[in-house]
Amino acid sequence: AKQYVSEISEIGSSLFELGIEVMALMYCLPFDSPMTALKVQIGALIAFLSIVHFLTQLRRAYGIGIYLTMFITIMKTIVRASLVIILFLIAFAVAFYMVLRPLPVFSNVGFAFIRVITMMVGDISFTETFHFLHGDNQLHSTGLALSVFILFVIVINIAFANLLVGLAVGDINEVRQNADLSIIQMDLKLITTFKTCYLPIKIREYIYKPSLVIQNHSKAPLLARFTWDKLTEGIKLQVSTTNTVEKSETQNLQQELQDQHL
């Protein structure tokens, strides 16, 4: 199952890059065409998606890679949790649309859904809604509206917000514990990609090397010595004590034999 998920993610990444390239061609071609509103929108989308793609490629970068991995992991968790919360948002949007239809922000279901999303992050605007109902003398029939408001605050702003915080904290702790393993996994994935990609043999031999030989001596380059220090950091060399123990036992046995002859 993990292999299929990995293959699907690779296909999705390739399609994402292909989509950016196709939109770039649509933006540039033909070169002598005038700038239109559609081209401006395509250009803005290209700039946004290109920067996002660039950030996803920085997960292997030293220092900031772990934070990008945390962010991507949290976003995956939010997407999985949103499959449940979106049903609650639709329910509240329909309820607000039917009860508070005179308000412009709840005049149709689409506006009501967007307004509910903004309410989810804290923009309740309860005073504005209360003043509107008070000005139209509709306070006698707003019991249901106030009940829906209170229920929305409890379910979305309190329960769901704390659920997301708990999931995010758990994901961050897991990423921190497995940070080194994740970086090694991405490095191995990149090496495998270079090994199996369809490039000329000379280029593949230059990029991919099956082994790494580092010699640490006084004339070694600074980069080689730095790499040696990073690879051997935390490694302690231990001398095997097997031969020492056997030698000591042999000496004791010889001493006993000499004492018996004496």
Side-chain angles (χ1 to χ4, degrees):
K2 290 183 178 180
Q3 182 178 0
Y4 292 138
V5 172
S6 178
E7 292 178 357
I8 291 173
S9 64
E10 291 179 1
I11 294 174
S13 178
S14 301
L15 292 176
F16 182 74
E17 296 176 0
L18 182 62
I20 296 176
E21 295 169 357
V22 170
M23 286 190 294
L25 291 176
M26 292 174 59
Y27 181 79
C28 296
L29 298 177
F31 296 107
D32 56 348
S33 62
M35 185 63 63
T36 60
L38 179 60
K39 277 198 169 184
V40 172
Q41 295 176 5
I42 293 176
L45 191 59
I46 291 171
F48 173 75
L49 295 179
S50 300
I51 294 174
V52 170
H53 181 64
F54 174 72
L55 288 175
T56 57
Q57 301 302 317
L58 291 179
R59 286 185 295 172
R60 295 179 56 254
Y62 178 77
I64 63 174
I66 183 174
Y67 300 106
L68 289 172
T69 305
M70 290 179 185
F71 176 76
I72 294 173
T73 304
I74 292 172
M75 288 302 300
K76 290 179 181 179
T77 303
I78 292 175
V79 169
R80 288 194 295 265
S82 64
L83 298 177
V84 177
I85 193 60
I86 194 171
L87 299 176
F88 285 98
L89 295 179
I90 293 174
F92 281 111
V94 173
F96 284 129
Y97 164 72
M98 298 179 67
V99 176
L100 301 174
R101 190 181 303 179
L103 279 171
V105 292
F106 296 110
S107 57
N108 58 55
V109 179
F111 287 164
F113 184 76
I114 296 174
R115 183 71 182 94
V116 166
I117 293 177
T118 59
M119 292 169 62
M120 182 178 65
V121 296
D123 186 12
I124 300 295
S125 298
F126 175 78
T127 304
E128 178 184 351
T129 305
F130 184 82
H131 282 304
F132 177 82
L133 297 174
H134 185 272
D136 287 355
N137 295 322
Q138 298 181 17
L139 289 177
H140 61 280
S141 60
T142 57
L144 179 59
L146 295 177
S147 300
V148 174
F149 257 104
I150 295 172
L151 187 61
F152 179 86
V153 171
I154 295 174
V155 174
I156 304 299
N157 294 94
I158 297 178
F160 183 69
N162 284 281
L163 173 64
L164 288 182
V165 170
L167 293 175
V169 171
D171 290 338
I172 288 174
N173 292 331
E174 183 179 358
V175 170
R176 282 183 175 177
Q177 292 175 0
N178 302 325
D180 295 336
L181 184 62
S182 300
I183 294 175
I184 293 173
Q185 184 179 3
M186 287 186 286
D187 290 342
L188 291 176
K189 184 178 178 181
L190 180 64
I191 292 172
T192 306
T193 303
F194 277 125
K195 183 180 179 181
T196 59
C197 63
Y198 298 99
L199 291 174
I201 298 177
K202 295 296 183 181
I203 297 178
R204 275 189 294 173
E205 290 179 352
Y206 178 76
I207 296 176
Y208 172 76
K209 297 184 182 299
S211 61
L212 177 64
V213 179
I214 299 176
Q215 297 180 357
N216 187 19
H217 51 81
S218 58
K219 296 183 180 180
L222 181 62
L223 180 60
R225 282 183 283 176
F226 176 77
T227 306
W228 174 271
D229 294 336
K230 293 296 293 182
L231 291 175
T232 58
E233 184 179 4
I235 298 177
K236 296 181 179 179
L237 298 178
Q238 295 182 355
V239 180
S240 177
T241 58
T242 304
N243 296 332
T244 304
V245 173
E246 292 179 353
K247 185 177 180 180
S248 177
E249 292 178 352
T250 303
Q251 291 178 352
N252 294 334
L253 182 59
Q254 291 178 354
Q255 184 66 31
E256 292 180 358
L257 291 175
Q258 291 178 0
D259 295 339
Q260 289 178 3
H261 287 299
L262 291 176

